[in-house]
Amino acid sequence: MILKRPVASEKAVLEMEKNNVVCFIVDNNARKDRIKDEFEELYGVKVEKVNTILTFKGEKKAMLRLSDKYKAEDIATKLGIV
């Protein structure tokens, strides 16, 4: 399992509302293509772009931009974030 947990910070929710982006903490060894594939398979949506960063805690955070026909708020509702 590459996706560990969703990020529910204020900044993540703002990104979700403005840019249709969902943020997840992922496995440190995960590649962008594998993150994209797993997310699309689990949630049945199309991901346009994946950006990753390493946090100061040593965790890898992935920001997944969804296709325009899907809403990040719908995914957040399923996850219990919003």
Side-chain angles (χ1 to χ4, degrees):
M1 188 82 173
I2 295 171
L3 301 174
K4 291 184 178 180
R5 66 179 189 277
V7 178
S9 66
E10 185 176 342
K11 185 175 180 180
V13 173
L14 186 64
E15 280 288 315
M16 179 178 43
E17 293 170 352
K18 287 189 175 185
N19 299 322
N20 205 28
V21 172
V22 179
C23 295
F24 267 84
I25 298 296
V26 297
D27 183 38
N28 281 354
N29 297 323
R31 296 189 325 243
K32 290 180 181 183
D33 58 336
R34 295 195 56 211
I35 296 168
K36 178 181 176 180
D37 292 341
E38 184 171 317
F39 189 83
E40 288 178 344
E41 184 180 317
L42 281 175
Y43 297 104
V45 297
K46 179 73 177 146
V47 175
E48 284 185 358
K49 187 176 182 180
V50 177
N51 291 328
T52 58
I53 62 168
L54 287 175
T55 67
F56 65 92
K57 295 179 182 177
E59 298 174 315
K60 188 179 233 181
K61 181 164 65 170
M63 285 80 66
L64 301 112
R65 176 180 221 121
L66 303 182
S67 174
D68 289 336
K69 45 185 230 188
Y70 301 103
K71 299 270 187 203
E73 287 93 4
D74 295 339
I75 301 295
T77 303
K78 286 181 185 178
L79 295 170
I81 297 173
V82 179

